[in-house]
Amino acid sequence: MMIEVENGVQLYVEDLRPVDGGNGQTLFFVAGWPVSHRIFDYQMQMLPYLGYRCITLDLRGFGKSDKPWHGYYYDRFAEDISFIMDVLNLENVVLVGFSMGGAICTRLITKYDTGARVEKLVLAGATTPFLVKKENQSTFGLPLAQIDHLLQQMQIDMPQAISDFGGTFYYQYISPEYKSWFQQMCLEGASHAILQSGVALRNEDVSSDLSQIQIPTGIFHGAHDQIAQFQGAVATQQAIPGSLLYRFEESGHGLLYEEKNRFQATLLDFIKNT
């Protein structure tokens, strides 16, 4: 379905509901940069069978959503998602944010939701508290020059830059067919959306948001993540009171696919037992 979040801007939302009404709990998945809702294909295949209503969306500029010139920063992304939650009248939500989507989810909770709708948070390979290393302030993060180079290459040869980026996404062997699928998914995004949200990803810092989160939070992170480094997950766990850190030993950034069975089992355990 398409939901209008502001005048002239509609976002694609996929809402899978168990035919028997399910267990009354909703999983809301938020993708990262520069992928679409399809990154959650394996979760959306399996979890509705277990009684969960599963919702995901394409952020503005990506996938099947409209691609306006404006609005590619965390506050606007979070506002879009909050509006969709209101339209769908959601409650008892487990919010699952992947990569940049995880950082957006932390902003959503601290700015637009105080626990009325979202009862638990899962950060999967999240770019929290920040992506870029802060000189003399942090022991983790990617060099600023590396991100700037990637953004510059995207202005020269977007398909090649996306291919290079995809090469750092996974730790395990990925078939050529999957690599091709991943690249095409990324290229569904508008070039201006990829670039502008890439700048936001480079510049944003959600450190202050993390310390305000008071709902049960699970941090799922690949031990070999070359994009959102594992040390960032450790810092995130230390910043969110009572949060739990789950280390995925056989994954890079793509833990949703690389360890999909363990991801699902861990997610279900976190939902049921925290």
Side-chain angles (χ1 to χ4, degrees), residues 73-84:
Y73 52 95
Y74 286 8
D75 279 1
R76 180 69 247 192
F77 287 135
E79 185 177 353
D80 288 346
I81 298 166
S82 178
F83 184 85
I84 288 169

Side-chain angles (χ1 to χ4, degrees), residues 151-215:
L151 295 175
Q152 290 164 5
Q153 288 302 111
M154 286 182 167
Q155 297 176 68
I156 298 169
D157 186 339
M158 180 70 75
Q160 183 63 56
I162 291 293
S163 178
D164 293 344
F165 175 73
T168 68
F169 215 84
Y170 297 98
Y171 172 68
Q172 296 190 35
Y173 169 79
I174 302 298
S175 70
E177 292 77 11
Y178 187 94
K179 289 178 182 177
S180 177
W181 173 84
F182 178 86
Q183 173 135 345
Q184 290 305 310
M185 173 179 56
C186 293
L187 291 174
E188 290 176 357
S191 59
H192 65 271
I194 293 173
L195 287 167
Q196 290 184 44
S197 56
V199 170
L201 180 59
R202 179 193 67 190
N203 295 343
E204 295 259 17
D205 183 338
V206 297
S207 298
S208 61
D209 300 85
L210 298 179
S211 62
Q212 299 178 55
I213 295 174
Q214 299 181 1
I215 58 175

Side-chain angles (χ1 to χ4, degrees), residues 19 24 54-55 94 106 142 160 186 208 227-228 253:
V19 293
C54 293
I55 299 172
V94 177
T106 66
L142 300 180
Q160 183 63 56
C186 293
S208 61
I227 297 170
H253 197 53

Side-chain angles (χ1 to χ4, degrees), residues 87-102:
V87 169
L88 298 178
N89 194 28
L90 299 183
E91 55 185 18
N92 302 321
V93 173
V94 177
L95 191 59
V96 183
F98 169 65
S99 192
M100 184 180 76

Side-chain angles (χ1 to χ4, degrees), residues 207-239:
S207 298
S208 61
D209 300 85
L210 298 179
S211 62
Q212 299 178 55
I213 295 174
Q214 299 181 1
I215 58 175
T217 300
I219 301 157
F220 296 30
H221 216 95
H224 305 279
D225 198 325
Q226 297 182 55
I227 297 170
Q229 296 174 347
F230 189 80
Q231 297 96 315
V234 173
T236 298
Q237 190 273 327
Q238 292 172 344

Side-chain angles (χ1 to χ4, degrees), residues 17-274:
R17 307 190 194 193
V19 293
D20 61 359
N23 57 23
Q25 194 152 47
T26 298
L27 303 181
F28 195 117
F29 296 91
V30 180
W33 180 90
V35 301
S36 74
H37 74 282
R38 295 294 305 276
I39 200 71
F40 296 112
D41 270 5
Y42 291 94
Q43 289 70 45
M44 298 290 279
Q45 285 176 12
M46 297 181 283
L47 291 166
Y49 286 110
L50 301 178
Y52 294 93
R53 179 182 181 185
C54 293
I55 299 172
T56 189
L57 82 160
D58 288 333
L59 298 173
R60 61 170 62 212
F62 296 90
K64 298 179 182 179
S65 288
D66 286 348
K67 300 168 174 64
W69 177 252
H70 62 281
Y72 301 102
Y73 52 95
Y74 286 8
D75 279 1
R76 180 69 247 192
F77 287 135
E79 185 177 353
D80 288 346
I81 298 166
S82 178
F83 184 85
I84 288 169
M85 286 184 169
D86 286 341
V87 169
L88 298 178
N89 194 28
L90 299 183
E91 55 185 18
N92 302 321
V93 173
V94 177
L95 191 59
V96 183
F98 169 65
S99 192
M100 184 180 76
I104 292 168
C105 286
T106 66
R107 181 64 49 81
L108 167 68
I109 289 171
T110 57
K111 191 167 184 179
Y112 298 101
D113 192 283
T114 57
R117 295 170 300 191
V118 179
E119 62 178 29
K120 293 182 180 180
L121 172 65
V122 173
L123 301 175
T127 56
T128 56
F130 42 79
L131 180 68
V132 174
K133 188 179 189 303
K134 297 182 179 297
E135 293 299 329
N136 304 318
Q137 296 181 43
S138 65
T139 58
F140 62 89
L142 300 180
L144 176 61
Q146 180 179 338
I147 302 302
D148 284 344
H149 177 72
L150 175 61
L151 295 175
Q152 290 164 5
Q153 288 302 111
M154 286 182 167
Q155 297 176 68
I156 298 169
D157 186 339
M158 180 70 75
Q160 183 63 56
I162 291 293
S163 178
D164 293 344
F165 175 73
T168 68
F169 215 84
Y170 297 98
Y171 172 68
Q172 296 190 35
Y173 169 79
I174 302 298
S175 70
E177 292 77 11
Y178 187 94
K179 289 178 182 177
S180 177
W181 173 84
F182 178 86
Q183 173 135 345
Q184 290 305 310
M185 173 179 56
C186 293
L187 291 174
E188 290 176 357
S191 59
H192 65 271
I194 293 173
L195 287 167
Q196 290 184 44
S197 56
V199 170
L201 180 59
R202 179 193 67 190
N203 295 343
E204 295 259 17
D205 183 338
V206 297
S207 298
S208 61
D209 300 85
L210 298 179
S211 62
Q212 299 178 55
I213 295 174
Q214 299 181 1
I215 58 175
T217 300
I219 301 157
F220 296 30
H221 216 95
H224 305 279
D225 198 325
Q226 297 182 55
I227 297 170
Q229 296 174 347
F230 189 80
Q231 297 96 315
V234 173
T236 298
Q237 190 273 327
Q238 292 172 344
I240 301 176
S243 60
L244 301 172
L245 176 58
Y246 302 89
R247 181 183 172 104
F248 286 71
E249 294 291 348
E250 300 302 320
S251 293
H253 197 53
L255 72 167
L256 298 172
Y257 178 72
E258 293 180 278
E259 293 186 79
K260 52 183 173 290
N261 292 333
R262 187 191 166 208
F263 183 89
Q264 176 173 299
T266 307
L267 176 63
L268 294 173
D269 179 70
F270 173 75
I271 292 170
K272 294 174 182 177
N273 298 317
T274 57

